[in-house]
Amino acid sequence: MSGRFGGRTLARAQALQLLFQADVNNRTVEEVLSGDYAISDGPLDPYGQELALGVDSRRYAIDAVIRASSASWSLSRMPIVDRNILRLALYEMIEEDDITVAVAIDEAVELAKAFGTDESPRFINGVLGSIAADVNAGVDVYEKARQTLHAAAKSQADEVDEVPAAGEADEVPLSEAPDAADAVDDAPVADDTAE
C-alpha cells in the first residue's frame, strides 16, 4: 500500500484503518489511538485522526443513515471494510463543509478498490449515490433516516400484531404464515454492528 496514496487520500486511508481496528475490537477510536494501532503508511496524518474521531463521534447517526439507505444489507452482514468506508464517506458528505459530495464518493470508491472486495466499489457507490441527492439538496439525512427506520419498525410491529393467536393458527394457510426467520432477520436493532 505504500506510495499508493498521498495527501488527504492517505489521511482517509489511515482513518479507515483506525475505524477498522476499532470496529473489529469493539473499541472506540480514542481507545485504539491510546494503545498500539497499525497504519500502513505513517506517521498518522492529523486529518486522518480528525476524520476517524469525527466518524466515531457520529457513528450511531451515520449507521442509521446507512441502515435506512441499504435496506437489503444489514450493517452486521456488510464486510467490515465496506461499512467503515461508508461511515467515513458519509461523515465527509454530511459534516465536512469543505468536501464536496462528489469528492467524498470518489474517494470512497478509491478506498473500496484498494481495501475492499471486487464488489465493494459498486456497492459503496450505489449506497452513497442514493444519499447524495438528499445531502446536496440540504435534507437533514439524519432525521430522514430516523423517520424511515421508525416507519419500518412500526410496519414490522403491525405485521406482528396481525399474526393469528394460537387457536387461530389452523385457519391460516401455511403459505401465508409469516416466516419466523425472516422476522428475526428484519427486526430493527439499536446497534447491529456487534459481531
Side-chain angles (χ1 to χ4, degrees), residues 108-128:
V109 169
E110 289 304 311
L111 289 174
K113 288 176 184 175
F115 294 101
T117 66
D118 290 342
E119 295 82 27
S120 294
R122 189 169 41 107
F123 174 71
I124 297 292
N125 191 52
V127 173
L128 296 176

Side-chain angles (χ1 to χ4, degrees), residues 150-162:
H150 178 73
K154 184 174 179 347
S155 174
Q156 289 173 355
D158 290 346
E159 287 176 15
V160 169
D161 288 343
E162 294 172 7

Side-chain angles (χ1 to χ4, degrees), residues 1-194:
M1 200 57 49
S2 183
R4 178 175 176 144
F5 298 125
R8 282 198 162 181
T9 303
L10 173 61
R12 288 178 184 97
Q14 292 175 340
L16 175 61
Q17 292 170 59
L18 294 172
L19 291 166
F20 181 89
Q21 290 168 67
D23 200 351
V24 166
N25 295 305
N26 199 27
R27 299 172 69 196
T28 66
V29 170
E30 250 181 50
E31 290 171 329
V32 169
L33 288 169
S34 69
D36 291 330
Y37 60 89
I39 53 176
S40 57
D41 292 317
L44 179 58
D45 185 281
Y47 186 64
Q49 181 173 337
E50 176 188 325
L51 282 176
L53 289 168
V55 170
D56 203 42
S57 73
R58 302 291 297 171
R59 192 181 99 206
Y60 294 108
I62 291 169
D63 284 356
V65 174
I66 296 169
R67 279 196 301 276
S69 301
S70 60
S72 60
W73 284 91
S74 70
L75 280 170
S76 63
R77 291 186 178 166
M78 285 179 196
I80 296 171
V81 170
D82 289 4
R83 74 174 167 239
N84 283 293
I85 291 171
L86 287 170
R87 288 170 175 159
L88 182 59
L90 284 168
Y91 178 81
E92 284 196 298
M93 289 168 64
I94 300 166
E95 303 290 340
E96 294 289 322
D97 294 334
D98 64 328
I99 304 296
T100 67
V101 170
V103 166
I105 293 173
D106 288 346
E107 291 287 319
V109 169
E110 289 304 311
L111 289 174
K113 288 176 184 175
F115 294 101
T117 66
D118 290 342
E119 295 82 27
S120 294
R122 189 169 41 107
F123 174 71
I124 297 292
N125 191 52
V127 173
L128 296 176
S130 71
I131 301 165
D134 284 342
V135 173
N136 283 329
V139 172
D140 181 345
V141 293
Y142 294 136
E143 179 60 23
K144 183 177 179 179
R146 189 189 68 74
Q147 290 175 3
T148 300
L149 295 173
H150 178 73
K154 184 174 179 347
S155 174
Q156 289 173 355
D158 290 346
E159 287 176 15
V160 169
D161 288 343
E162 294 172 7
V163 173
E168 300 171 4
D170 295 336
E171 300 170 16
V172 177
L174 186 57
S175 62
E176 293 178 19
D179 184 347
D182 289 344
V184 170
D185 288 342
D186 296 336
V189 179
D191 178 19
D192 64 355
T193 58

